[in-house]
Amino acid sequence: MKELAGRLAAVDPDAGAAVSVIAYFDRLAESRAGLEALVRGAAVLAGCPARLVDPERRVRLRVEPDGRRADDGGVPDPGWPGAPLTPGGPPTLWLERAAGDGPSVVDAVILERAAAAVRSVLDRTRGRVPAPQADDPALVETVLDADAPLPARLHAARRLGLGGTTGAAALVRAVAVADGPPLIVADGQPLPVTGRAGVGPAVAVAELPRSWAAARTALRFASDGRLPGPGGRNVVHADELGGVALLADLVVPGAEPAPDVRAVEAAAADAPWMLRTLEAVASTASLRAAAAEVNVHHSTLQDRLTHAEHLLGWPVRTPQGRFRLQVALTMRHLMKHQ
C-alpha cells in the first residue's frame, strides 16, 4: 500500500495522499485503536483540529493537529466538513476548518475512514448490552476506553471477573498485541503472547485506560524480528521505557523524518550490512561486543564505522555520538510502527 501511495503521488498527489489515509486507518482498525487515537489520526492527517460529538452515547472529544487532546464544549460550526456515523444521520465527526466549496478529496477520505472506524468502536463498546462472557471483546474494550463513563467501565470489569474495584487490592495491566485483540492480565501472571507486544503498568481496574494507553506506546518500541528495534525486544514494558517514551509523541503520522533519521536511512541504503552494524553499536556495551554481535573482526568493524560516520555526518564511537545514533534509530523504528 505504501508503494502504491508513492506511485500515485507522483501522478496525482491527492490520490496518493488518499491511499495513505486509507492504509493508516486500516492499521488503526486492525489494532483496535480507541476513539481518541482515531480522532487524533484525523486531526494530524488533516492538519487541523478534529472533533467527535455523539450526545446519544455521551462521547465528546477534540484533538489538536499536533496530537494534543483539547476538549471543547462549544457547538460545532455547520460550515466545517463533517461526516455522520450512520447513513443519513447528522454529522458527528468534524474537521475544524471552513469548508469553502466543500471538503477536499483528502479531507473527505479522512472523514469517511475515521467515521467508519469510530462507528465500529462505538458499536462494539456501547452499541449493545455485552454478553456475559469472560472473553467478550466488547467488555474488554469498554474497560479500556477512557471515554466510557466510569460506572460502565466498572460494570464491564465485574462481568469480566475483575471485580471492578477502584482500590489497589487487585492490580491488573493492559497488553497491546500487534496481531491480536487487547488483553487484560493480572499483575504477576505470565503474558500469553509470543509476538510483538506492549505491556502497560499494573493499575487498579478503574485506571486500566491509562495502562492501555501506555501499553500501546510500548508496543511501538517492540521489535518484530524482521526490523531491528531498540534493544531488539519483542515485548516491551511501559514502566521500563522511562523518558524514552516521550519520543513516541514526537513521531506522529505525516510528520517529516528528523534529519538524523534521514541520514540513517541514506546510510542503510548504501550497504546491506550497515543497519545491522549500527544497531549492534547502539545496543551493545562495547565495540568488541558489537563486532561479535555482527560476527566480524574488530578491525573490520572499525573500517565499517569509518564509512558509516562519513555517511551519517557524525561520529558513532563517542558517548555523545552513540547516544545520537540510539535516538535516531529509535525514531526510525517508531516511524515504521505508528
Side-chain angles (χ1 to χ4, degrees), residues 94-118:
W94 287 272
L95 299 178
E96 296 185 9
R97 63 162 152 248
D101 295 328
S104 68
V105 171
V106 176
D107 280 355
V109 174
I110 290 172
L111 286 167
E112 189 274 332
R113 302 301 289 191
V118 166

Side-chain angles (χ1 to χ4, degrees), residues 10-58:
V11 179
D12 184 338
D14 281 348
V19 171
S20 296
V21 168
I22 292 171
Y24 174 72
F25 281 108
D26 282 350
R27 289 195 300 271
L28 285 183
E30 289 170 4
S31 64
R32 291 179 174 263
L35 296 177
E36 184 172 342
L38 295 171
V39 178
R40 176 176 293 109
V44 172
L45 291 174
C48 69
R51 181 187 301 233
L52 173 66
V53 180
D54 185 350
E56 182 179 347
R57 285 179 275 201
R58 300 179 183 178

Side-chain angles (χ1 to χ4, degrees), residues 8 114 164 192 201 321:
L8 284 174

